[in-house]
Amino acid sequence: MGAVGTSGTLTLAAAPIGRAEDASERLRGALGAADIIAAEDTRRLRRLTAELGVTTAARIVSYYDANERARAAELVEELREGRDVLVITDAGLPGVSDPGYRLVTAAIEAEVPVTVLPGPSAVTTALVVSGLPSDRFCFEGFLPRKAGERASRLAALAAEPRTMVFFEAPHRLTAALEAMAGALGADRPAAVCRELTKTYEEVRRGPLGELAAWSSGGVRGEITVVVGGAPERTGPADLDALADEVERRVTDGTARKDAIGEVAREYRVPKRELYDAVIARKTR
């Protein structure tokens, strides 16, 4: 517990993403020493402490999406009164697609010390095992559930040059992969990482189109998807050639507006420039 007259410390603790034995000695010590433990799922926390052989005298409170805002205010008051608070989610680091961000922000505003107990992360684990470039990457979390919003998000990422990491629910995986294939290209390299570090860990690598077909048979478990970035253009775009490609797709039945959008994304050219080239050909 913090010394009298001083605030406590907020600790964000990384939990194992699969195997309890991946927990660090620091995590064991911190669980035993905390005054308050804010857990995303209190039942999972008790199971983890049992597996680690840790006895804790901490007051355990729930801290999940629905109560994050109200609970953050309560925990900051506890910190101000000198009590040490440890935040732990079901797996990985708090704040990464899990509760934690609001509490950290509130603690910083209250001038309460904040520290991190590092450890496992599904984001970096999937990234390095995917076989895709890892020197530059971005984390996109979960895609929107609604098809239209999901398509808009992916369209904005079509020209992203960095490797992208996503979380996805197993029952939405096929729809997400199909949407990715449509927006980013069916040939875009990717990897679906399932049950990382667990007994039935599986990493399936291949083009997005093939992965979408594979997943349609049903996939279970915790899912992380890694997608290669857009390939770099090696020289200036041949807009006349791309305008021909647009016209070929229109002849095949695609609406001109959609064909322009598809070609612009696939070849990483500004949509307006391609539109102007298509219109110029029609007026010749």
Side-chain angles (χ1 to χ4, degrees), residues 16 29 53 75 82 84 89 106 129 156 178 180 188 208 214 223 252:
L75 293 173
D84 292 327
T89 57
V129 80
E178 289 176 345
M180 289 178 182
R188 184 77 70 92
L208 281 169
W214 160 76
I223 305 292
D252 290 338

Short mmCIF file of all heavy atoms in Angstrom, two decimals, residues 16 29 53 75 82 84 89 106 129 156 178 180 188 208 214 223 252:
data_model
loop_
_atom_site.label_atom_id
_atom_site.label_comp_id
_atom_site.label_asym_id
_atom_site.label_seq_id
_atom_site.Cartn_x
_atom_site.Cartn_y
_atom_site.Cartn_z
N PRO A 16 -1.40 -13.65 -19.25
CA PRO A 16 -1.10 -14.63 -20.30
C PRO A 16 -2.24 -14.71 -21.31
O PRO A 16 -3.41 -14.59 -20.95
CB PRO A 16 -0.97 -15.95 -19.51
CG PRO A 16 -0.60 -15.53 -18.13
CD PRO A 16 -1.33 -14.24 -17.90
N GLY A 29 4.06 -11.47 -8.10
CA GLY A 29 4.30 -10.59 -6.96
C GLY A 29 3.31 -9.45 -6.89
O GLY A 29 2.82 -9.10 -5.80
N GLY A 53 -0.73 -20.26 -8.13
CA GLY A 53 -0.43 -20.48 -6.73
C GLY A 53 -0.25 -19.20 -5.95
O GLY A 53 0.52 -19.14 -4.98
N LEU A 75 -11.93 4.21 -8.88
CA LEU A 75 -10.56 3.73 -8.68
C LEU A 75 -9.58 4.88 -8.51
O LEU A 75 -8.60 4.77 -7.77
CB LEU A 75 -10.16 2.83 -9.84
CG LEU A 75 -10.92 1.49 -9.92
CD1 LEU A 75 -10.56 0.74 -11.20
CD2 LEU A 75 -10.62 0.63 -8.70
N GLY A 82 -4.17 6.59 -1.48
CA GLY A 82 -2.96 5.86 -1.19
C GLY A 82 -2.98 4.38 -1.45
O GLY A 82 -2.04 3.66 -1.10
N ASP A 84 -2.84 1.04 -3.80
CA ASP A 84 -2.31 0.59 -5.09
C ASP A 84 -3.37 -0.22 -5.83
O ASP A 84 -3.98 -1.13 -5.26
CB ASP A 84 -1.06 -0.26 -4.89
CG ASP A 84 0.11 0.54 -4.35
OD1 ASP A 84 0.21 1.73 -4.69
OD2 ASP A 84 0.93 -0.02 -3.59
N THR A 89 -6.82 -7.69 -17.52
CA THR A 89 -7.90 -8.13 -18.39
C THR A 89 -7.82 -9.65 -18.57
O THR A 89 -6.98 -10.31 -17.97
CB THR A 89 -7.84 -7.42 -19.75
OG1 THR A 89 -6.57 -7.67 -20.34
CG2 THR A 89 -8.03 -5.93 -19.59
N ALA A 106 -7.65 9.22 -16.64
CA ALA A 106 -8.10 9.85 -15.40
C ALA A 106 -6.98 9.89 -14.36
O ALA A 106 -6.84 10.88 -13.63
CB ALA A 106 -9.31 9.10 -14.85
N VAL A 129 4.71 -14.18 -35.83
CA VAL A 129 4.55 -15.55 -36.33
C VAL A 129 3.89 -15.59 -37.71
O VAL A 129 3.89 -16.61 -38.38
CB VAL A 129 3.72 -16.40 -35.32
CG1 VAL A 129 2.23 -16.13 -35.45
CG2 VAL A 129 4.03 -17.88 -35.47
N ALA A 156 -10.69 2.66 -46.46
CA ALA A 156 -9.72 3.66 -45.99
C ALA A 156 -8.34 3.04 -45.77
O ALA A 156 -7.33 3.76 -45.73
CB ALA A 156 -10.22 4.30 -44.70
N GLU A 178 -13.84 -12.02 -46.21
CA GLU A 178 -14.43 -11.74 -47.53
C GLU A 178 -14.41 -10.24 -47.80
O GLU A 178 -14.13 -9.80 -48.93
CB GLU A 178 -15.84 -12.29 -47.59
CG GLU A 178 -15.90 -13.82 -47.65
CD GLU A 178 -17.30 -14.36 -47.61
OE1 GLU A 178 -18.24 -13.59 -47.25
OE2 GLU A 178 -17.50 -15.55 -47.92
N MET A 180 -12.34 -8.06 -46.48
CA MET A 180 -10.94 -7.68 -46.69
C MET A 180 -10.50 -8.02 -48.11
O MET A 180 -9.83 -7.23 -48.78
CB MET A 180 -10.04 -8.41 -45.69
CG MET A 180 -10.15 -7.95 -44.26
SD MET A 180 -9.09 -8.94 -43.18
CE MET A 180 -9.48 -8.22 -41.58
N ARG A 188 -4.02 -10.43 -51.59
CA ARG A 188 -3.22 -9.80 -50.53
C ARG A 188 -2.81 -10.87 -49.51
O ARG A 188 -3.66 -11.59 -48.98
CB ARG A 188 -4.03 -8.70 -49.86
CG ARG A 188 -3.28 -7.90 -48.79
CD ARG A 188 -2.33 -6.89 -49.38
NE ARG A 188 -3.03 -5.78 -50.01
CZ ARG A 188 -3.35 -4.64 -49.38
NH1 ARG A 188 -3.02 -4.47 -48.12
NH2 ARG A 188 -3.97 -3.68 -50.04
N LEU A 208 -5.85 -13.58 -48.99
CA LEU A 208 -7.13 -13.34 -48.30
C LEU A 208 -8.28 -14.16 -48.90
O LEU A 208 -9.12 -14.67 -48.17
CB LEU A 208 -7.47 -11.85 -48.36
CG LEU A 208 -6.75 -10.95 -47.35
CD1 LEU A 208 -6.99 -9.48 -47.68
CD2 LEU A 208 -7.21 -11.25 -45.93
N TRP A 214 -11.35 -20.99 -46.76
CA TRP A 214 -11.00 -21.95 -45.70
C TRP A 214 -11.85 -21.73 -44.46
O TRP A 214 -12.36 -22.68 -43.86
CB TRP A 214 -9.52 -21.81 -45.36
CG TRP A 214 -9.17 -22.39 -44.02
CD1 TRP A 214 -9.02 -23.70 -43.70
CD2 TRP A 214 -8.92 -21.64 -42.81
NE1 TRP A 214 -8.71 -23.83 -42.37
CE2 TRP A 214 -8.64 -22.59 -41.80
CE3 TRP A 214 -8.91 -20.29 -42.51
CZ2 TRP A 214 -8.35 -22.21 -40.49
CZ3 TRP A 214 -8.63 -19.89 -41.20
CH2 TRP A 214 -8.35 -20.85 -40.22
N ILE A 223 -9.15 -15.26 -32.18
CA ILE A 223 -8.64 -15.04 -33.53
C ILE A 223 -7.91 -13.70 -33.65
O ILE A 223 -8.42 -12.66 -33.23
CB ILE A 223 -9.77 -15.06 -34.58
CG1 ILE A 223 -10.59 -16.36 -34.49
CG2 ILE A 223 -9.21 -14.84 -35.98
CD1 ILE A 223 -9.84 -17.59 -34.91
N ASP A 252 -17.94 -5.96 -68.12
CA ASP A 252 -18.27 -7.21 -67.41
C ASP A 252 -19.44 -7.05 -66.45
O ASP A 252 -19.84 -8.02 -65.79
CB ASP A 252 -17.06 -7.73 -66.64
CG ASP A 252 -15.96 -8.24 -67.57
OD1 ASP A 252 -16.30 -8.58 -68.72
OD2 ASP A 252 -14.79 -8.32 -67.14
#
